[in-house]
Amino acid sequence: YDLDCGATVCGAVANWNDTDACNRDIPPNKGARVCERFPYGGSESPNLCMNVCRTSSDCEADEACYTSRRSINVHFCAPAPPTAEVDIGGACLDDYQCETGLCHDGQCRDVCVRDSDCGGSEVCRATIVTPRHLGQESATGICVEREPGLLAIGQPCSSASMCQSGACSQTYTNGPYECTKLCGSEYDCGLDERCASGLYSDDQVLGFGIRSCTDAPQQSLVGPGDYCL
């Protein structure tokens, strides 16, 4: 993260073309990178190629997993806040008090992509947050306690707030809305399901982007990498 030590500077944050440039020289076993702004220093911070993560456990010991600028439930590893002194679950008033870099509803929380990223009694719930390092809204998964009063996966829903997962998606186009679980890829889903962007809210910017498991269209004939129209 020190430009004198070989950090890779990139162009516009969250721009797909600059993110592609970040991944040109990366070995396959090193994962992926995204072009994002260094979390501290505001507009003075450089845009750097950051390693992608699901949750903080994917990062180094002195790093945290931060929400990316675009609402696609993508996160990146960067140093934990230098002012951090509160661990996950502890009371907080500000993001930079937390080792994870995220304070939500008065508690230090961690970001996630799927339920298995969280503790046994927690669920990965789609949530709109305004992280201090972004200064703007972003939709992401957050590990939170399971609430018995909310609807389970597969139950009919009409809004995201009704669901345990925070995701209420259409199984097919114009199909019924059901509570769906968050995912990072099809490997997080069941057989004959796909991991696709779901409808999170009516907001044109934040509404699409949270990926969740839904039934694949019955007319689907080809898989990843095959030619399509």
Side-chain angles (χ1 to χ4, degrees), residues 43-187:
S43 59
E44 301 299 318
S45 295
N47 299 335
L48 303 175
C49 293
M50 307 287 200
N51 289 328
V52 170
C53 51
R54 287 176 177 263
T55 190
S56 291
S57 61
D58 293 334
C59 304
E60 298 294 332
D62 57 349
E63 293 181 332
C65 188
Y66 294 86
T67 304
S68 183
R69 196 160 302 274
R70 301 185 76 180
S71 56
I72 50 177
N73 206 18
V74 168
H75 317 121
F76 64 93
C77 294
T83 55
E85 53 188 24
V86 184
D87 205 350
I88 295 176
C92 59
L93 295 173
D94 183 85
D95 286 344
Y96 290 176
Q97 289 180 287
C98 300
E99 296 284 353
T100 58
L102 178 64
C103 178
H104 182 69
D105 286 344
Q107 275 190 297
C108 291
R109 303 286 189 182
D110 202 1
V111 295
C112 56
V113 173
R114 56 187 178 183
D115 286 348
S116 58
D117 295 332
C118 305
S121 62
E122 293 182 321
V123 64
C124 187
R125 182 174 301 149
T127 310
I128 290 182
V129 296
T130 307
R132 181 175 164 184
H133 73 278
L134 292 184
Q136 67 183 53
E137 287 187 331
S138 181
T140 184
I142 292 181
C143 293
V144 296
E145 289 76 19
R146 198 174 297 273
E147 295 186 28
L150 299 180
L151 298 177
I153 302 302
Q155 291 188 280
C157 57
S158 57
S159 70
S161 60
M162 300 171 63
C163 300
Q164 189 73 248
S165 64
C168 180
S169 303
Q170 287 177 306
T171 307
Y172 302 112
T173 304
N174 299 322
Y177 282 86
E178 296 178 355
C179 293
T180 53
K181 69 176 181 177
L182 303 194
C183 57
S185 72
E186 64 177 289
Y187 299 107

